[in-house]
Amino acid sequence: MNALSFLVSTVFDLYLMVVILRIWLQLAKADFYNPFSQFIVKATHPIVAPLRRILPSIGGFDTASFLLALLVVVAKFVILSLIAGAAINIPTILLVAVVSVFKEAGVLLFWMLIIRAVLSWISQGHNPIEMVMGQLTEPFLSPIRRIIPPMGGLDLSLLVLMIILNFVNILLAQYVPFWANV
């Protein structure tokens, strides 16, 4: 059962990351003609398009994609509960879904920062994925750069943001139910 649970969890988590990236691409107004962005849109469009007919966007926030993210997490926990033979508690699963979407967004940001740092050492800067990562992470890094400018050619904003993300993760684990468990 552990192998099946791992597989289900991995598949749903990967698709959740794709859905979160779709929301994030729209919020950051990233280049949708980029091949990486096109992959994200094509992977989510068959489900998001029908949801958009029911739920319109609110301002620049894509409510249909957010609902899809919640549905992905709910489906994941329902399937995992069925595999484990545990009772399905819908209110608890809904709370866990909301917490899980926000935590996964933070985890995704953390890994994108690490990938961006590694790519800055080995890439020439013309990679389409690197361009989108820059568009997605720059709104978080630029306020830090205003406070701590690059020193001697070394940009510490990535390190500072990763420390802030870890601090927030540890803090929320103490005060938000289920944060540490999802």
Side-chain angles (χ1 to χ4, degrees):
M1 289 300 180
N2 287 337
L4 183 60
S5 296
F6 167 77
L7 184 63
V8 167
S9 204
T10 301
V11 168
F12 278 96
D13 286 345
L14 288 173
Y15 193 69
L16 177 61
M17 286 184 191
V18 171
V19 175
I20 290 171
L21 279 171
R22 181 178 178 121
I23 297 168
W24 196 356
L25 285 167
Q26 291 175 334
L27 289 174
K29 295 179 175 74
D31 178 19
F32 269 84
Y33 295 106
N34 185 300
F36 181 70
S37 300
Q38 285 296 306
F39 164 75
I40 299 296
V41 170
K42 288 179 182 175
T44 56
H45 185 72
I47 304 171
V48 170
L51 287 175
R52 279 215 176 114
R53 291 185 205 119
I54 302 167
L55 289 170
S57 294
I58 299 174
F61 185 72
D62 186 6
T63 54
S65 294
F66 184 71
L67 178 63
L68 176 59
L70 292 175
L71 291 174
V72 167
V73 176
V74 167
K76 170 187 162 185
F77 283 108
V78 165
I79 292 171
L80 288 176
S81 295
L82 291 172
I83 290 171
I88 297 172
N89 186 347
I90 297 298
T92 302
I93 288 178
L94 291 175
L95 177 63
V96 169
V98 172
V99 169
S100 186
V101 167
F102 285 105
K103 184 172 182 180
E104 193 68 33
V107 169
L108 185 60
L109 174 59
F110 183 83
W111 284 107
M112 285 183 78
L113 291 170
I114 289 177
I115 292 169
R116 187 172 175 194
V118 170
L119 284 176
S120 73
W121 298 333
I122 59 174
S123 174
Q124 299 298 319
H126 302 294
N127 187 332
I129 293 176
E130 190 174 359
M131 287 181 189
V132 171
M133 283 189 187
Q135 291 173 331
L136 293 176
T137 57
E138 202 55 40
F140 298 101
L141 295 171
S142 60
I144 296 171
R145 284 195 192 110
R146 278 187 238 125
I147 298 169
I148 305 171
M151 293 180 253
L154 186 62
D155 184 9
L156 298 175
S157 61
L158 281 163
L159 178 64
V160 170
L161 184 56
M162 286 196 273
I163 291 170
I164 291 169
L165 286 172
N166 276 323
F167 171 77
V168 169
N169 186 35
I170 293 167
L171 184 69
L172 291 177
Q174 295 174 354
Y175 298 110
V176 176
F178 306 110
W179 188 271
N181 300 328
V182 293

PDB file of all heavy atoms in Angstrom, residues 147-167:
ATOM      1  N   ILE A 147      16.284  46.572  -0.390  1.00  0.00           N
ATOM      2  CA  ILE A 147      16.801  46.680   0.977  1.00  0.00           C
ATOM      3  C   ILE A 147      18.259  46.230   1.037  1.00  0.00           C
ATOM      4  O   ILE A 147      19.101  46.870   1.665  1.00  0.00           O
ATOM      5  CB  ILE A 147      15.939  45.842   1.945  1.00  0.00           C
ATOM      6  CG1 ILE A 147      14.506  46.383   1.960  1.00  0.00           C
ATOM      7  CG2 ILE A 147      16.519  45.836   3.346  1.00  0.00           C
ATOM      8  CD1 ILE A 147      13.510  45.481   2.657  1.00  0.00           C
ATOM      9  N   ILE A 148      18.559  45.104   0.390  1.00  0.00           N
ATOM     10  CA  ILE A 148      19.920  44.539   0.379  1.00  0.00           C
ATOM     11  C   ILE A 148      20.379  44.479  -1.072  1.00  0.00           C
ATOM     12  O   ILE A 148      20.123  43.484  -1.766  1.00  0.00           O
ATOM     13  CB  ILE A 148      19.952  43.130   1.002  1.00  0.00           C
ATOM     14  CG1 ILE A 148      19.363  43.131   2.404  1.00  0.00           C
ATOM     15  CG2 ILE A 148      21.387  42.601   1.028  1.00  0.00           C
ATOM     16  CD1 ILE A 148      19.162  41.757   2.988  1.00  0.00           C
ATOM     17  N   PRO A 149      21.059  45.510  -1.557  1.00  0.00           N
ATOM     18  CA  PRO A 149      21.509  45.483  -2.958  1.00  0.00           C
ATOM     19  C   PRO A 149      22.631  44.458  -3.142  1.00  0.00           C
ATOM     20  O   PRO A 149      23.270  44.044  -2.168  1.00  0.00           O
ATOM     21  CB  PRO A 149      22.013  46.909  -3.192  1.00  0.00           C
ATOM     22  CG  PRO A 149      22.355  47.424  -1.841  1.00  0.00           C
ATOM     23  CD  PRO A 149      21.441  46.731  -0.869  1.00  0.00           C
ATOM     24  N   PRO A 150      22.861  44.031  -4.390  1.00  0.00           N
ATOM     25  CA  PRO A 150      23.980  43.112  -4.637  1.00  0.00           C
ATOM     26  C   PRO A 150      25.298  43.711  -4.148  1.00  0.00           C
ATOM     27  O   PRO A 150      25.568  44.895  -4.350  1.00  0.00           O
ATOM     28  CB  PRO A 150      23.980  42.951  -6.160  1.00  0.00           C
ATOM     29  CG  PRO A 150      22.582  43.273  -6.574  1.00  0.00           C
ATOM     30  CD  PRO A 150      22.104  44.318  -5.601  1.00  0.00           C
ATOM     31  N   MET A 151      26.092  42.886  -3.483  1.00  0.00           N
ATOM     32  CA  MET A 151      27.364  43.344  -2.922  1.00  0.00           C
ATOM     33  C   MET A 151      28.514  42.626  -3.598  1.00  0.00           C
ATOM     34  O   MET A 151      28.592  41.405  -3.538  1.00  0.00           O
ATOM     35  CB  MET A 151      27.399  43.073  -1.419  1.00  0.00           C
ATOM     36  CG  MET A 151      26.413  43.889  -0.638  1.00  0.00           C
ATOM     37  SD  MET A 151      26.506  43.518   1.104  1.00  0.00           S
ATOM     38  CE  MET A 151      25.011  42.587   1.314  1.00  0.00           C
ATOM     39  N   GLY A 152      29.351  43.370  -4.256  1.00  0.00           N
ATOM     40  CA  GLY A 152      30.514  42.775  -4.917  1.00  0.00           C
ATOM     41  C   GLY A 152      30.114  41.771  -5.980  1.00  0.00           C
ATOM     42  O   GLY A 152      30.784  40.759  -6.155  1.00  0.00           O
ATOM     43  N   GLY A 153      28.997  42.001  -6.654  1.00  0.00           N
ATOM     44  CA  GLY A 153      28.531  41.084  -7.691  1.00  0.00           C
ATOM     45  C   GLY A 153      27.780  39.879  -7.154  1.00  0.00           C
ATOM     46  O   GLY A 153      27.379  39.006  -7.909  1.00  0.00           O
ATOM     47  N   LEU A 154      27.594  39.819  -5.835  1.00  0.00           N
ATOM     48  CA  LEU A 154      26.897  38.694  -5.213  1.00  0.00           C
ATOM     49  C   LEU A 154      25.506  39.141  -4.789  1.00  0.00           C
ATOM     50  O   LEU A 154      25.341  40.059  -3.989  1.00  0.00           O
ATOM     51  CB  LEU A 154      27.685  38.199  -3.995  1.00  0.00           C
ATOM     52  CG  LEU A 154      27.184  36.943  -3.321  1.00  0.00           C
ATOM     53  CD1 LEU A 154      27.234  35.757  -4.276  1.00  0.00           C
ATOM     54  CD2 LEU A 154      28.021  36.646  -2.098  1.00  0.00           C
ATOM     55  N   ASP A 155      24.478  38.495  -5.350  1.00  0.00           N
ATOM     56  CA  ASP A 155      23.091  38.820  -5.053  1.00  0.00           C
ATOM     57  C   ASP A 155      22.607  37.911  -3.931  1.00  0.00           C
ATOM     58  O   ASP A 155      22.477  36.697  -4.107  1.00  0.00           O
ATOM     59  CB  ASP A 155      22.242  38.639  -6.314  1.00  0.00           C
ATOM     60  CG  ASP A 155      20.809  39.055  -6.108  1.00  0.00           C
ATOM     61  OD1 ASP A 155      20.487  39.651  -5.057  1.00  0.00           O
ATOM     62  OD2 ASP A 155      19.992  38.788  -7.007  1.00  0.00           O
ATOM     63  N   LEU A 156      22.360  38.498  -2.766  1.00  0.00           N
ATOM     64  CA  LEU A 156      21.934  37.724  -1.604  1.00  0.00           C
ATOM     65  C   LEU A 156      20.415  37.615  -1.484  1.00  0.00           C
ATOM     66  O   LEU A 156      19.922  36.995  -0.545  1.00  0.00           O
ATOM     67  CB  LEU A 156      22.497  38.356  -0.328  1.00  0.00           C
ATOM     68  CG  LEU A 156      24.020  38.394  -0.227  1.00  0.00           C
ATOM     69  CD1 LEU A 156      24.445  39.139   1.011  1.00  0.00           C
ATOM     70  CD2 LEU A 156      24.584  36.985  -0.222  1.00  0.00           C
ATOM     71  N   SER A 157      19.672  38.201  -2.424  1.00  0.00           N
ATOM     72  CA  SER A 157      18.215  38.210  -2.305  1.00  0.00           C
ATOM     73  C   SER A 157      17.622  36.799  -2.332  1.00  0.00           C
ATOM     74  O   SER A 157      16.654  36.519  -1.625  1.00  0.00           O
ATOM     75  CB  SER A 157      17.591  39.078  -3.390  1.00  0.00           C
ATOM     76  OG  SER A 157      17.912  38.582  -4.668  1.00  0.00           O
ATOM     77  N   LEU A 158      18.198  35.897  -3.133  1.00  0.00           N
ATOM     78  CA  LEU A 158      17.712  34.511  -3.166  1.00  0.00           C
ATOM     79  C   LEU A 158      17.862  33.852  -1.797  1.00  0.00           C
ATOM     80  O   LEU A 158      16.936  33.204  -1.302  1.00  0.00           O
ATOM     81  CB  LEU A 158      18.482  33.697  -4.199  1.00  0.00           C
ATOM     82  CG  LEU A 158      18.076  33.877  -5.648  1.00  0.00           C
ATOM     83  CD1 LEU A 158      19.144  33.352  -6.570  1.00  0.00           C
ATOM     84  CD2 LEU A 158      16.777  33.186  -5.917  1.00  0.00           C
ATOM     85  N   LEU A 159      19.015  34.017  -1.194  1.00  0.00           N
ATOM     86  CA  LEU A 159      19.270  33.420   0.117  1.00  0.00           C
ATOM     87  C   LEU A 159      18.337  33.999   1.171  1.00  0.00           C
ATOM     88  O   LEU A 159      17.764  33.257   1.980  1.00  0.00           O
ATOM     89  CB  LEU A 159      20.730  33.642   0.518  1.00  0.00           C
ATOM     90  CG  LEU A 159      21.144  33.120   1.882  1.00  0.00           C
ATOM     91  CD1 LEU A 159      21.027  31.610   1.931  1.00  0.00           C
ATOM     92  CD2 LEU A 159      22.559  33.563   2.203  1.00  0.00           C
ATOM     93  N   VAL A 160      18.153  35.314   1.156  1.00  0.00           N
ATOM     94  CA  VAL A 160      17.274  35.963   2.129  1.00  0.00           C
ATOM     95  C   VAL A 160      15.839  35.469   1.960  1.00  0.00           C
ATOM     96  O   VAL A 160      15.162  35.155   2.943  1.00  0.00           O
ATOM     97  CB  VAL A 160      17.358  37.501   1.990  1.00  0.00           C
ATOM     98  CG1 VAL A 160      16.282  38.188   2.820  1.00  0.00           C
ATOM     99  CG2 VAL A 160      18.738  37.995   2.389  1.00  0.00           C
ATOM    100  N   LEU A 161      15.355  35.365   0.716  1.00  0.00           N
ATOM    101  CA  LEU A 161      13.995  34.888   0.481  1.00  0.00           C
ATOM    102  C   LEU A 161      13.830  33.433   0.917  1.00  0.00           C
ATOM    103  O   LEU A 161      12.800  33.066   1.490  1.00  0.00           O
ATOM    104  CB  LEU A 161      13.593  35.064  -0.986  1.00  0.00           C
ATOM    105  CG  LEU A 161      12.161  34.691  -1.332  1.00  0.00           C
ATOM    106  CD1 LEU A 161      11.153  35.458  -0.472  1.00  0.00           C
ATOM    107  CD2 LEU A 161      11.886  34.929  -2.802  1.00  0.00           C
ATOM    108  N   MET A 162      14.829  32.601   0.690  1.00  0.00           N
ATOM    109  CA  MET A 162      14.734  31.199   1.141  1.00  0.00           C
ATOM    110  C   MET A 162      14.691  31.119   2.670  1.00  0.00           C
ATOM    111  O   MET A 162      13.942  30.307   3.227  1.00  0.00           O
ATOM    112  CB  MET A 162      15.890  30.380   0.578  1.00  0.00           C
ATOM    113  CG  MET A 162      15.712  30.081  -0.891  1.00  0.00           C
ATOM    114  SD  MET A 162      16.766  28.774  -1.495  1.00  0.00           S
ATOM    115  CE  MET A 162      18.236  29.654  -1.909  1.00  0.00           C
ATOM    116  N   ILE A 163      15.436  31.964   3.348  1.00  0.00           N
ATOM    117  CA  ILE A 163      15.393  31.993   4.815  1.00  0.00           C
ATOM    118  C   ILE A 163      14.018  32.456   5.286  1.00  0.00           C
ATOM    119  O   ILE A 163      13.440  31.888   6.219  1.00  0.00           O
ATOM    120  CB  ILE A 163      16.520  32.892   5.374  1.00  0.00           C
ATOM    121  CG1 ILE A 163      17.876  32.233   5.126  1.00  0.00           C
ATOM    122  CG2 ILE A 163      16.315  33.181   6.859  1.00  0.00           C
ATOM    123  CD1 ILE A 163      19.071  33.115   5.408  1.00  0.00           C
ATOM    124  N   ILE A 164      13.456  33.483   4.629  1.00  0.00           N
ATOM    125  CA  ILE A 164      12.118  33.971   4.982  1.00  0.00           C
ATOM    126  C   ILE A 164      11.076  32.874   4.764  1.00  0.00           C
ATOM    127  O   ILE A 164      10.198  32.663   5.609  1.00  0.00           O
ATOM    128  CB  ILE A 164      11.768  35.233   4.169  1.00  0.00           C
ATOM    129  CG1 ILE A 164      12.631  36.407   4.629  1.00  0.00           C
ATOM    130  CG2 ILE A 164      10.295  35.575   4.289  1.00  0.00           C
ATOM    131  CD1 ILE A 164      12.550  37.630   3.729  1.00  0.00           C
ATOM    132  N   LEU A 165      11.164  32.160   3.635  1.00  0.00           N
ATOM    133  CA  LEU A 165      10.208  31.078   3.363  1.00  0.00           C
ATOM    134  C   LEU A 165      10.293  29.973   4.413  1.00  0.00           C
ATOM    135  O   LEU A 165       9.262  29.459   4.863  1.00  0.00           O
ATOM    136  CB  LEU A 165      10.439  30.501   1.967  1.00  0.00           C
ATOM    137  CG  LEU A 165       9.988  31.358   0.800  1.00  0.00           C
ATOM    138  CD1 LEU A 165      10.463  30.758  -0.520  1.00  0.00           C
ATOM    139  CD2 LEU A 165       8.478  31.518   0.800  1.00  0.00           C
ATOM    140  N   ASN A 166      11.499  29.601   4.811  1.00  0.00           N
ATOM    141  CA  ASN A 166      11.645  28.573   5.850  1.00  0.00           C
ATOM    142  C   ASN A 166      11.105  29.062   7.188  1.00  0.00           C
ATOM    143  O   ASN A 166      10.467  28.304   7.928  1.00  0.00           O
ATOM    144  CB  ASN A 166      13.103  28.141   5.982  1.00  0.00           C
ATOM    145  CG  ASN A 166      13.456  27.086   4.974  1.00  0.00           C
ATOM    146  OD1 ASN A 166      12.660  26.225   4.656  1.00  0.00           O
ATOM    147  ND2 ASN A 166      14.664  27.162   4.447  1.00  0.00           N
ATOM    148  N   PHE A 167      11.359  30.323   7.503  1.00  0.00           N
ATOM    149  CA  PHE A 167      10.843  30.898   8.752  1.00  0.00           C
ATOM    150  C   PHE A 167       9.314  30.865   8.764  1.00  0.00           C
ATOM    151  O   PHE A 167       8.693  30.445   9.735  1.00  0.00           O
ATOM    152  CB  PHE A 167      11.349  32.343   8.918  1.00  0.00           C
ATOM    153  CG  PHE A 167      10.699  33.069  10.057  1.00  0.00           C
ATOM    154  CD1 PHE A 167      11.076  32.821  11.366  1.00  0.00           C
ATOM    155  CD2 PHE A 167       9.681  33.987   9.810  1.00  0.00           C
ATOM    156  CE1 PHE A 167      10.465  33.492  12.422  1.00  0.00           C
ATOM    157  CE2 PHE A 167       9.066  34.656  10.855  1.00  0.00           C
ATOM    158  CZ  PHE A 167       9.446  34.408  12.161  1.00  0.00           C
TER     159      PHE A 167
END
